[in-house]
């Protein structure tokens, strides 16, 4: 069932709650792929009712980013949702969701100053604003996010903690194509040659993982190994490569001792792709 009105969505949720149903929520920007599908399937397993939002959120795109070009196919997305246990696809128009004189910001400081936050100013403010609006409208018991957007997960968890929001954040593993490329709605932008070049992201992370498995514990050495792998790909332009603490997202330079995250962001042609691995020492 496709719902576009906030009032109608709130009415449905009220009824579900009255009937004692638990609600799982999967926020998306559409162009659904197997990564989203894994989130939806988990939500369907763990909740009585499942809502998937499909909304290309203008407030999280910078002025030079791909908001207009972002792939949109609501009909196809709705039919994918039908087969996997989704009760409502919530897809409001931007005019329905945002007031013209919208004055409230949701800013998570610190965690958003690094990595994608430093490269995409305002991005996480837009994400936090739309996600908190959806949480208020849908009142989910659990909300499902992909580990591919590792910084987004960390920021959302902090927002939920700081604002005492009554929702459990469930993080699901990255879904990859058979050759290792992380599933992303932006993969459709890649030409066949770029698609091949894009494998450098997962390949570089494999290099880092092997080094860690072989006992390497120096963050600078790991970063150098990642960089030297990526620069061998002529179509790749590095946006950032870091070794960070997985909780604080602070960049590590010397010996690593705890849980780390290795996030990479690389332009392949004009397409900016991200990937990461988490590693426990
Ligand atoms: O991860 C995404 O697709 C978006 O950032 C989200 C969480 C749906 C908010 O627009």
């Amino acid at each position: 069932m496709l719902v576009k009105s906030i009032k109608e969505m709130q009415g449905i949720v009220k009824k579900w709650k009255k009937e004692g149903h638990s609600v799982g929520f999967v926020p998306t920007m559409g162009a659904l792929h197997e990564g989203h599908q894994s989130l939806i399937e988990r939500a369907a397993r763990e909740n009585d009712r499942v809502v998937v939002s499909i909304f290309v959120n203008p407030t999280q795109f910078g002025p030079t980013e791909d908001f207009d070009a972002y792939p949109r196919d609501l009909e196809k997305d709705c039919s994918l949702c039908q087969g996997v246990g989704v009760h409502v696809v919530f897809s409001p128009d931007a005019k329905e969701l945002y007031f013209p004189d919208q004055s409230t910001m949701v800013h998570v400081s610190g965690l958003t100053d690094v990595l994608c936050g430093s490269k995409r100013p305002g991005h996480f403010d837009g994400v936090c604003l739309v996600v908190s609006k959806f949480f208020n409208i849908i009142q989910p018991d659990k909300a499902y996010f992909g580990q591919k957007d590792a910084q987004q997960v960390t920021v959302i968890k902090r927002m939920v903690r700081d604002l005492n929001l009554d929702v459990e954040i469930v993080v699901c593993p990255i879904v990859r194509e058979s050759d290792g490329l992380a599933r992303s709605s932006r993969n459709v932008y890649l030409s066949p040659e770029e698609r091949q070049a894009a494998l450098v992201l997962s390949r570089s992370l494999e290099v880092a993982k092997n080094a860690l498995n072989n006992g390497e514990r120096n963050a600078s050495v790991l970063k150098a190994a990642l960089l030297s792998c990526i620069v061998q790909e002529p179509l790749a332009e590095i946006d950032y490569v870091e070794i960070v603490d997985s909780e604080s997202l602070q960049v590590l330079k010397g010996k690593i001792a705890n849980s780390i995250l290795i996030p990479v962001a690389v332009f392949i042609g004009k397409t900016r792709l991200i990937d990461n691995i988490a590693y426990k020492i």
Side-chain angles (χ1 to χ4, degrees):
M1 177 187 190
L2 175 64
V3 172
K4 293 188 87 72
S5 135
I6 294 172
K7 268 239 144 64
E8 188 183 351
M9 186 70 248
Q10 285 171 321
I12 292 169
V13 169
K14 236 178 219 152
K15 185 167 165 285
W16 286 346
K17 296 261 164 170
K18 232 186 190 162
E19 293 166 354
H21 295 306
S22 61
V23 179
F25 172 46
V26 184
T28 84
M29 298 205 298
L32 301 181
H33 50 69
E34 273 147 70
H36 297 114
Q37 198 175 322
S38 75
L39 303 180
I40 295 169
E41 283 169 355
R42 175 131 182 224
R45 280 199 302 277
E46 296 182 352
N47 301 274
D48 303 323
R49 296 290 181 267
V50 175
V51 179
V52 172
S53 65
I54 294 181
F55 180 69
V56 185
N57 175 32
T59 64
Q60 70 186 75
F61 287 81
T64 61
E65 294 182 350
D66 58 342
F67 175 70
D68 289 331
Y70 199 84
R72 290 163 173 88
D73 193 341
L74 186 58
E75 217 169 289
K76 188 165 159 225
D77 289 342
C78 283
S79 66
L80 189 144
C81 285
Q82 256 173 16
V84 285
V86 175
H87 296 83
V88 169
V89 172
F90 180 46
S91 187
D93 291 333
K95 279 199 195 108
E96 168 86 4
L97 198 64
Y98 287 115
F99 296 94
D101 58 348
Q102 165 90 32
S103 331
T104 305
M105 263 182 82
V106 185
H107 178 70
V108 175
S109 62
L111 292 176
T112 60
D113 296 340
V114 293
L115 309 176
C116 288
S118 69
K119 299 290 179 177
R120 304 182 67 189
H123 168 69
F124 287 112
D125 290 348
V127 170
C128 288
L129 181 61
V130 82
V131 169
S132 45
K133 282 164 82 73
F134 282 140
F135 283 177
N136 284 331
I137 295 165
I138 296 161
Q139 302 279 313
D141 297 281
K142 295 183 181 187
Y144 296 79
F145 291 84
Q147 171 65 18
K148 186 170 87 63
D149 297 299
Q151 187 174 15
Q152 172 169 277
V153 165
T154 309
V155 170
I156 296 288
K157 279 184 169 170
R158 180 68 59 90
M159 175 186 84
V160 165
R161 188 202 72 177
D162 287 355
L163 297 178
N164 303 95
L165 301 181
D166 192 12
V167 53
E168 183 187 332
I169 302 302
V170 181
V171 184
C172 302
I174 298 175
V175 177
R176 299 182 180 280
E177 308 219 11
S178 56
D179 56 8
L181 182 67
R183 302 246 178 208
S184 163
S185 302
R186 290 189 167 95
N187 289 351
V188 298
Y189 296 149
L190 301 169
S191 69
E193 197 191 3
E194 289 171 341
R195 168 71 185 67
Q196 200 55 33
L199 294 176
V200 76
L201 279 87
S202 53
R203 200 162 56 236
S204 69
L205 292 170
E206 270 308 303
V207 167
K209 194 162 138 196
N210 287 338
L212 282 159
N213 285 340
N214 289 329
E216 184 55 62
R217 294 291 178 264
N218 185 302
S220 306
V221 173
L222 283 170
K223 181 170 169 173
L226 280 151
L227 291 173
S228 76
C229 175
I230 299 172
V231 296
Q232 282 170 42
E233 172 49 63
L235 294 183
E237 196 191 309
I238 295 167
D239 198 26
Y240 67 73
V241 169
E242 295 295 357
I243 317 290
V244 301
D245 179 88
S246 52
E247 290 255 317
S248 68
L249 303 183
Q250 288 311 298
V251 171
L252 302 170
K253 295 233 155 71
K255 191 171 164 18
I256 49 178
N258 289 319
S259 294
I260 60 163
L261 177 75
I262 306 183
V264 298
V266 178
F267 283 96
I268 303 291
K270 285 198 166 78
T271 305
R272 184 178 181 277
L273 298 176
I274 59 172
D275 199 348
N276 69 80
I277 52 164
Y279 197 92
K280 245 192 181 105
I281 304 292

Coordinates of all heavy atoms in Angstrom, one line a residue, residues 27-29 55 57 60 127 130-131 145 149 152, ligand 1:
P27 N 14.1 3.3 6.4 CA 14.2 4.6 5.6 C 15.1 4.4 4.4 O 16.2 3.9 4.4 CB 14.8 5.6 6.6 CG 15.5 4.8 7.6 CD 15.0 3.3 7.5
T28 N 14.6 4.8 3.2 CA 15.4 4.7 2.0 C 15.1 6.0 1.1 O 14.2 6.7 1.3 CB 15.0 3.5 1.1 OG1 13.8 3.8 0.3 CG2 14.7 2.3 2.0
M29 N 16.0 6.1 0.1 CA 15.7 7.1 -0.9 C 15.3 6.4 -2.2 O 15.4 7.0 -3.3 CB 17.0 8.0 -1.2 CG 17.4 8.7 0.1 SD 18.3 10.2 -0.2 CE 19.7 9.6 -0.9
F55 N 12.0 8.4 -0.2 CA 12.0 9.9 -0.3 C 13.4 10.4 -0.6 O 14.3 10.1 0.2 CB 11.5 10.5 1.1 CG 11.4 12.0 1.1 CD1 10.5 12.7 0.3 CD2 12.3 12.7 1.9 CE1 10.5 14.0 0.4 CE2 12.3 14.1 1.9 CZ 11.4 14.8 1.1
N57 N 15.7 12.9 -0.3 CA 15.6 14.0 0.6 C 16.4 15.2 0.2 O 17.7 15.1 0.3 CB 16.1 13.5 2.0 CG 16.2 14.6 3.0 OD1 15.4 15.5 3.0 ND2 17.1 14.5 3.9
Q60 N 19.6 16.8 2.3 CA 20.9 16.1 2.5 C 21.8 16.2 1.3 O 22.9 15.6 1.3 CB 20.7 14.7 3.0 CG 20.1 13.7 2.0 CD 19.8 12.4 2.7 OE1 18.8 12.2 3.3 NE2 20.7 11.4 2.4
V127 N 20.1 14.6 6.9 CA 19.8 13.2 7.2 C 19.1 13.1 8.6 O 18.0 12.5 8.7 CB 21.1 12.3 7.2 CG1 20.8 10.9 7.8 CG2 21.7 12.1 5.8
V130 N 15.5 14.6 8.4 CA 14.5 13.8 7.8 C 14.2 12.5 8.6 O 13.1 12.1 8.7 CB 14.8 13.5 6.3 CG1 15.8 12.4 6.1 CG2 13.6 13.2 5.5
V131 N 15.3 11.9 9.1 CA 15.1 10.7 9.9 C 14.3 11.0 11.2 O 13.4 10.2 11.6 CB 16.5 10.0 10.2 CG1 16.3 8.9 11.2 CG2 17.1 9.5 8.9
F145 N 19.2 0.2 9.3 CA 20.1 1.0 8.5 C 21.2 0.1 8.1 O 21.6 -0.9 8.8 CB 20.7 2.1 9.3 CG 19.8 3.2 9.7 CD1 18.9 3.1 10.8 CD2 19.7 4.4 8.9 CE1 18.0 4.1 11.1 CE2 18.8 5.4 9.2 CZ 17.9 5.2 10.3
D149 N 26.7 2.8 5.1 CA 26.8 4.2 5.5 C 27.2 4.2 7.0 O 26.4 4.6 7.8 CB 25.5 4.9 5.2 CG 25.1 4.9 3.8 OD1 25.8 5.5 3.0 OD2 24.1 4.3 3.4
Q152 N 26.8 7.4 8.9 CA 25.4 7.7 9.1 C 24.8 6.9 10.3 O 24.1 7.5 11.1 CB 24.6 7.4 7.8 CG 23.1 7.5 8.0 CD 22.4 7.3 6.6 OE1 22.2 8.3 5.9 NE2 21.9 6.2 6.3
Ligands
LIG1 O1 20.7 6.2 3.7 C1 19.8 6.8 3.0 O2 19.3 6.3 2.0 C2 19.4 8.1 3.5 O3 20.4 8.9 4.0 C3 18.2 8.1 4.5 C4 18.6 7.4 5.8 C5 17.0 7.3 3.8 C6 17.7 9.5 4.8 O4 17.3 10.2 3.7

